Structure formats: C-alpha cells, structure tokens
Amino acid sequence: MARAVTPRRKAINSAVAWTLAILIFFPIFWTVLTSFKTEAQAIADPPLFFNFDWTLENYVTVQERSNYFRHFWNSVVISVGSTLLGVIIAVPAAWAMAFVPGKQTKNVLMWMLSTKMLPPVGVLVPIYLIFRNVGLLDTRTGLVIVLTLINLPIIVWMLYTYFREIPGEILEAARMDGATLRSEILYVLTPMAVPGIASTVLLNIILAWNEAFWTLNLTAANAAPLTAFIASYSSPEGLFYAKLSAASTMAIAPILIMGWFSQKQLVRGLTFGAVK
C-alpha cells in the first residue's frame, strides 16, 4: 500500500521545487532583462531590476552588426540534420542490440557511452586536419557529420532502452506473417516506439543546438551557427553585456519555445516504459 503524503510534506516538497526552479531560471531571466538595458545600466552597481529605461537598441544593433537569420538557419540545418542522420543510423543499431542480444551487447553499449567521456579537445587537431584536407571545414555538412558522431552514442543508448520495452513476440508475429526486416523496423517497431523516438529527437536537437566547442573551432563565417553568433560579442576590448545579452536571448529563444511546446511529449518519451 502506498504511504500517504501529509500536507506538510507536500508543502515542503513544493517549496523546494519552486526554489530550485527559480534558481535555475534566474540566469535566463536576468539575461533577458539585461538585453533591454543600456550598457551603463547593465553594469550598474547595485543592479537594476525593473527601474531602468527599457530600450530595443541592443536588438537593433545586434541585427545591424550580424546577420541573425543566417546564423539561425545554420543552427536549424545543423541540429535537425545531425539528429535525423543519427536516428537513421541508430534505429537499426538499437534494434540489433535489443532483439538480437549477445554476450557483448552491454559491453558495446558501455564502450559507446564511454566515448562521451573523452575530452573533445583531445581529438580536435586530427578532426580539424581531416576536415581541412577534404574540404569540410566551415561547412554545414561537416558540422552535421561531426555532431552526428558525437551524439550517436546517446541516441543509440536511448533507443535501445525504449526498444527493450517492446515485446519481442510482436516482432516475431510480424515475421511469421511474412514481414521483411525493413518492414519490421519501419511498420512495426518504429510506430510502437514513437514516444521514445520523439523524445530522443527533441533531446538531441537541443544538444546539437547548444554545442559550442565544435561549432566554434570548425567554422569561421559560412556555416557559423548561433553559438558562434553569441561568441562574436566577446571581444578583446571587453564584454558588451547588454548587446551580449540581446544576442544570447535571440539565440536561446527558439529552443526555449520549442522545449516549452514539446515538454509533454519529451516527458512522455523519457518516462516511456518506466511504468508497467
């Protein structure tokens, strides 16, 4: 029998949850607020919360200085492209690990996940030289490839977890009805795992959108996404906090809006199979 939760315990849990939520959200709130200040007001001491002259000058200056929409489109192509390519590769791999298990399956999964523990700077030089020699440097195609390889272990691991929750008998019945391997994956397995695949896609779009290390080191101008757009407002002359905040707000707004509207699907996918 489940233990009843007292009103006092509920109040404490709610207070802790709200406190953590405010602490996590405050940097975003402060960034948005600072973007409407002048540079002098942005560095005022004590800080100004609402009693300042609101202005859109920073947004105008940012758009005049940088082509925001070009960087935005680069981010969309790179994040969505790398995620879709990763899913295309990961679905058959996760299917093989989930439904054709072997003694080394867990070892392979752990090895794949362990590659995420490698510091990216450790392989920067060889990847940079390869990209330079084959003509992929400062191209969206190059970034799609490298971000696919970086996030592929996470995609495979998540899809493997979701596929394991699907009864193997259903796939066996499809085979007995004459389904080919392609039909089994496309028309039986994939529709049943839509919540898990959707949450995997959303999570990896966010990861690719926020990736800064590779986008800053493998691009210059042509394929620069919004991470490079933000970094351009850090100069040797100093930081322009108001303009940097405006650029940051413009960069994070699309992914925040997407996350807000897709949070139900994301939570559903992340909890897929958790309750039987």
Side-chain angles (χ1 to χ4, degrees):
M1 181 181 294
R3 186 172 57 183
V5 180
T6 63
R8 182 172 178 271
R9 182 64 178 270
K10 288 182 179 179
I12 294 174
N13 290 343
S14 298
V16 171
W18 275 103
T19 301
L20 292 175
I22 292 172
L23 289 175
I24 293 171
F25 179 73
F26 183 77
I28 300 175
F29 168 75
W30 188 252
T31 298
V32 175
L33 204 62
T34 304
S35 68
F36 293 101
K37 301 177 182 178
T38 64
E39 290 295 343
Q41 292 169 341
I43 60 174
D45 188 18
L48 302 175
F49 279 85
F50 296 103
N51 55 333
F52 60 86
D53 298 326
W54 294 66
T55 178
L56 293 175
E57 178 185 355
N58 297 312
Y59 290 93
V60 175
T61 303
V62 166
Q63 181 56 29
E64 289 177 348
R65 173 178 167 179
S66 307
N67 189 341
Y68 167 78
F69 293 102
R70 179 171 61 83
H71 292 88
F72 170 78
W73 179 244
N74 286 340
S75 287
V76 171
V77 172
I78 292 167
S79 58
V80 175
S82 63
T83 299
L84 293 181
L85 180 59
V87 169
I88 292 172
I89 298 172
V91 166
W95 172 87
M97 293 182 183
F99 299 107
V100 190
K103 294 182 180 180
Q104 301 300 322
T105 297
K106 290 186 177 179
N107 292 335
V108 172
L109 285 170
M110 287 303 301
W111 172 80
M112 292 178 62
L113 199 60
S114 70
T115 61
K116 294 291 295 180
M117 304 175 190
L118 174 71
V121 70
V123 293
L124 173 61
V125 172
I127 289 180
Y128 181 90
L129 294 176
I130 292 172
F131 273 43
R132 186 192 63 182
N133 293 336
V134 300
L136 290 176
L137 198 62
D138 196 20
T139 64
R140 290 189 297 222
T141 302
L143 285 178
V144 166
I145 293 173
V146 74
L147 292 185
T148 297
L149 296 176
I150 289 171
N151 292 327
L152 191 59
I154 296 177
I155 301 176
V156 172
W157 187 281
M158 291 183 67
L159 292 180
Y160 166 80
T161 303
Y162 300 134
F163 290 173
R164 288 287 292 172
E165 301 298 329
I166 297 175
E169 292 79 6
I170 296 177
L171 301 183
E172 292 178 3
R175 295 190 203 110
M176 293 180 64
D177 288 338
T180 62
L181 178 60
R182 177 176 175 275
S183 299
E184 177 185 332
I185 294 176
L186 287 181
Y187 303 117
V188 182
L189 178 66
T190 303
M192 294 182 66
V194 163
I197 294 174
S199 65
T200 302
V201 167
L202 291 172
L203 181 61
N204 281 274
I205 286 176
I206 294 172
L207 291 175
W209 188 281
N210 294 330
E211 175 61 40
F213 179 82
W214 292 106
T215 56
L216 292 177
N217 285 286
L218 297 180
T219 62
N222 297 328
L226 288 171
T227 47
F229 169 75
I230 297 174
S232 67
Y233 286 86
S234 175
S235 64
E237 292 79 13
L239 288 175
F240 299 95
Y241 289 104
K243 295 177 181 60
L244 178 61
S245 297
S248 300
T249 301
M250 294 171 71
I252 65 176
I255 204 70
L256 285 177
I257 293 171
M258 187 195 78
W260 177 266
F261 284 104
S262 61
Q263 59 180 322
K264 184 177 180 180
Q265 182 65 42
L266 185 60
V267 172
R268 181 187 175 197
L270 291 175
T271 57
F272 179 71
V275 180
K276 293 186 179 277

